[in-house]
Amino acid sequence: MSQSATLAARRDQMFPTLPPDDVARMGRFGEAAFFAAGERIVEAGDISPGLIVVVSGKVEVSQDAGGGRRETIVVHGPGSFAGELAQLSERPSLVTAEAIEPVAAVVIPSRRLRDLMVQEASLGERVMRALILRRVGLLESGGSGPIIIGHQDSVDLLRLQGFLARSGHPHRVLDADTDSCARILVERFHVDRHYLPIVLCPNGKLLLNPGERDLARCLGLVMSIDESKLYDVAIIGAGPAGLAAAVYAASEGLSVLVLDCRAFGGQAGASARIENYLGFPTGISGMALMARAYNQAQKFGVEMAIPDEAKHLSITAVETGQHFRLETSGDEAIQTRAVIVASGARYRRLDMSNLAQFEGSSVHYWASPIEARLCTGQEVALVGAGNSAGQAAVFLASHVKTVWLLVRGASLDPSMSRYLIERIKAQPNINVVTETTVTALDGPEGNLEVVRWCNRMGEETARPIRHLFLFIGADPNTDWLAHSDITLDGKGFIQTGVAAGKERHPLETSRSGVFAIGDVRSGSVKRVAAAVGEGAQVVAALHAYLARNDRHPNVPQVMRII
């Protein structure tokens, strides 16, 4: 098992020992508990009773080291506490905790842990930092979470690996062709190699090439929705706009549910490095920025249903006004007093008949360390001229032999920030080819071997390229709003304010109580900072709307479709 760099560098912050006064302050948020020597406090894959604050005794925390062995991460003594980010939202534990001698402790359940974060700001900051660093350590060590077994070039293995990476969930990947442990597990469970990849979850369940939602269910990342609960607001989309709205709404006392059909972060999460976001002078990866927002939302009690997709929106009429009903792809229904649509946009695809056969294995819409490892030392092609394309090109240049940056226009100047243009010019292995379009993708059985492109003079170039990255913009993710009576513009973006045709708040749609923010909104500025700003701004409009409606409505009486 690899050693966590964060554990080595920041151990004191990861595993602080609190003074008796702080332990006493934490005590009012939990209940006293006692564990006998040898007693398992929590098993990996089970939901923990909460944050375990050790008053006396010792608690050993361990993770699976493979081959039936366990690896000790830390031994907690008096004044320390056992737990990580899973305890913020009642998710299954990623590690096992056992009392190695009689233990007296205070157990703080998830709901009260969030109260501690808010009511004890200084102490809560230390606890939150420790929980985040512990999750980072688990991600770095690769010793916790599910085990994925499959062929390294499998589209489905990359799909599952990418989902877990974007979800910030620790996992291990074993190559079914070269890893002896993988072969043993495949034989033990009598799995036909045609059914690979398989996923062995911490709770012991075995999944055969699961979908992302099935995997999330097995890992406890997405829970069943309480259809009897009425939320103040449901937010569709967990990108910068959606997460900003969630943080501000929940911090002001509203009950909030966030849905996203993929993972948190949106398109911003795909950015290798954002260097023009206020407050981060050295830059920050899109994934790191969005992970902070996701954790912050959970700190304030936001409920997450990810991955889960909104499929239909309707209105429930009551005596005091109206509520909304959202139906999901999981055949569940959400009752909410208001809706914020922050569903962003879908990646655009090249108009090529054989594109689909290469997607996932050779054609990528995301440039993360996973994709970078696939093409280390190779030539790659990247199509696009915006900031996302520039960030991806610079990131890939540090891993690959050559990046061919293919641009349809005459230059990068109209669409890319100057600092990125200068950085691209400074990279000797990035070749910018302007006024060029991709004309053909060649390769057998979904394995790309040659990319062909043509310039405006009709001259064609063919290069031996196995990986193509597409950053060519996006289309609004609004298909699910069909027949909703919510006004869209000619390109499918949601119109708000005066453009919606009525006296509305600038972020309110043609349907009162439904708001749109971020990239999905017509006329919005497609920047992370702008999306975050709209997420904050919409909460004031949300409060005004809710103030006009009774906070304690009667039982719904009539259902009608929007």
Side-chain angles (χ1 to χ4, degrees):
M1 207 69 63
S2 61
Q3 176 69 36
S4 164
T6 302
L7 175 59
R10 304 180 69 178
R11 186 180 183 89
D12 290 345
Q13 290 181 316
M14 190 182 289
F15 301 114
T17 299
L18 303 176
D21 287 350
D22 284 348
V23 173
R25 287 159 61 197
M26 295 178 78
R28 71 185 182 92
F29 294 94
E31 297 183 355
F34 300 91
F35 303 97
E39 183 177 350
R40 284 280 173 93
I41 299 173
V42 63
E43 186 87 34
D46 295 337
I47 295 177
S48 171
L51 192 77
I52 311 298
V53 184
V54 181
V55 178
S56 66
K58 293 181 179 180
V59 174
E60 180 186 55
V61 177
S62 62
Q63 63 184 354
D64 182 19
R69 298 176 295 108
R70 299 208 63 81
E71 177 183 60
T72 298
I73 300 173
V74 66
V75 175
H76 290 297
S80 56
F81 52 90
E84 58 95 42
L85 283 177
Q87 276 62 69
L88 266 183
S89 52
E90 296 180 288
R91 299 293 197 266
S93 177
L94 293 169
V95 296
T96 295
E98 180 178 335
I100 56 177
E101 58 184 57
V103 169
V106 173
V107 178
I108 305 176
S110 295
R111 178 181 59 81
R112 295 294 287 155
L113 178 57
R114 294 191 293 267
D115 291 341
L116 182 151
M117 300 287 185
V118 174
Q119 296 176 28
E120 296 280 355
S122 178
L123 179 57
E125 179 185 352
R126 295 183 66 192
V127 173
M128 188 71 181
R129 181 185 295 113
L131 301 186
I132 292 172
L133 290 174
R134 291 174 188 183
R135 172 61 63 92
V136 172
L138 292 176
L139 286 167
E140 291 175 345
S141 69
S144 299
I147 300 172
I148 309 174
I149 301 173
H151 306 295
Q152 285 294 339
D153 58 353
S154 164
V155 173
D156 288 313
L157 184 142
L158 294 174
R159 171 180 58 83
L160 296 173
Q161 190 179 6
F163 166 69
L164 291 174
R166 291 193 297 272
S167 300
H169 196 83
H171 60 282
R172 278 183 286 165
V173 177
L174 302 181
D175 189 342
D177 298 315
T178 61
D179 192 287
S180 59
C181 291
R183 288 197 294 268
I184 291 171
L185 287 171
V186 169
E187 292 171 2
R188 178 186 299 174
F189 290 104
H190 307 290
V191 177
D192 189 302
R193 296 177 73 85
H194 291 94
Y195 290 107
L196 295 178
I198 60 173
V199 181
L200 183 61
C201 297
N203 60 10
K205 290 184 179 179
L206 180 70
L207 304 179
L208 303 178
N209 193 16
E212 287 90 332
R213 182 175 173 79
D214 291 333
L215 177 56
R217 285 271 188 203
C218 187
L219 299 178
L221 297 180
V222 59
M223 306 295 189
S224 297
I225 292 172
D226 182 357
E227 298 190 13
S228 66
K229 181 175 180 177
L230 178 64
Y231 293 90
D232 287 321
V233 61
I235 301 174
I236 316 304
L243 289 177
V247 167
Y248 280 96
S251 68
E252 295 176 14
L254 300 180
S255 60
V256 182
L257 176 67
V258 175
L259 293 87
D260 196 289
C261 62
R262 295 182 184 86
F264 68 82
Q267 290 194 69
S271 296
R273 179 157 295 272
I274 301 172
E275 298 196 50
N276 56 357
Y277 189 74
L278 189 67
F280 293 90
T282 60
I284 185 171
S285 74
M287 189 66 208
L289 182 64
M290 292 299 96
R292 293 184 183 194
Y294 178 77
N295 294 334
Q296 192 175 16
Q298 289 188 306
K299 167 186 171 180
F300 289 115
V302 174
E303 295 183 38
M304 301 288 181
I306 303 173
D308 205 351
E309 186 174 10
K311 300 295 289 186
H312 186 68
L313 176 65
S314 59
I315 287 180
T316 301
V318 296
E319 290 182 359
T320 54
Q322 65 181 26
H323 299 153
F324 295 95
R325 175 186 170 93
L326 277 167
E327 296 173 17
T328 75
S329 57
D331 295 325
E332 294 177 306
I334 299 161
Q335 305 290 340
T336 180
R337 302 181 63 221
V339 176
I340 296 175
V341 181
S343 50
R346 298 184 302 268
Y347 298 115
R348 274 191 200 129
R349 305 167 72 243
L350 290 177
D351 185 15
M352 309 190 75
S353 60
N354 65 342
L355 179 68
Q357 74 183 61
F358 298 112
E359 288 179 315
S361 60
S362 299
V363 173
H364 313 283
Y365 300 88
W366 184 285
S368 74
I370 295 174
E371 289 78 21
R373 284 194 296 271
L374 290 174
C375 49
T376 298
Q378 303 176 27
E379 289 188 31
V380 302
L382 191 154
V383 184
N387 279 359
S388 294
Q391 290 158 353
V394 171
F395 169 71
L396 291 170
S398 64
H399 296 83
V400 305
K401 178 182 177 182
T402 304
V403 177
W404 294 93
L405 182 55
L406 309 180
V407 180
R408 185 174 58 182
S411 76
L412 296 172
D413 293 320
S415 55
M416 189 178 292
S417 295
R418 173 52 53 182
Y419 80 92
L420 277 172
I421 295 175
E422 295 301 325
R423 188 160 296 171
I424 287 171
K425 289 179 179 178
Q427 296 290 329
N429 62 336
I430 298 180
N431 297 325
V432 180
V433 186
T434 58
E435 298 182 312
T436 297
T437 56
V438 175
T439 54
L441 305 177
D442 299 331
E445 300 179 356
N447 295 311
L448 184 63
E449 292 181 348
V450 176
V451 175
R452 302 178 188 274
W453 59 82
C454 189
N455 63 22
R456 66 185 181 89
M457 304 299 294
E459 299 168 336
E460 186 179 71
T461 299
R463 298 295 304 178
I465 289 173
R466 296 172 55 194
H467 294 279
L468 172 67
F469 293 83
L470 300 180
F471 289 82
I472 54 177
D475 296 313
N477 188 14
T478 53
D479 291 349
W480 65 281
L481 290 172
H483 313 296
S484 68
D485 197 28
I486 291 177
T487 304
L488 309 179
D489 67 13
K491 295 182 179 179
F493 292 91
I494 299 175
Q495 292 190 320
T496 57
V498 175
K502 300 180 181 180
E503 291 291 332
R504 299 288 189 209
H505 183 277
L507 299 177
E508 192 169 19
T509 71
S510 55
R511 172 62 61 184
S512 179
V514 179
F515 302 85
I517 56 176
D519 288 358
V520 76
R521 189 177 70 83
S522 178
S524 65
V525 177
K526 307 309 192 252
R527 289 286 187 271
V528 174
V532 171
E534 290 191 4
Q537 183 184 356
V538 75
V539 174
L542 177 64
H543 279 300
Y545 169 77
L546 294 177
R548 298 193 298 267
N549 292 269
D550 186 7
R551 293 189 61 85
H552 301 285
N554 295 325
V555 177
Q557 296 175 330
V558 181
M559 172 69 75
R560 65 182 175 87
I561 303 302
I562 292 180

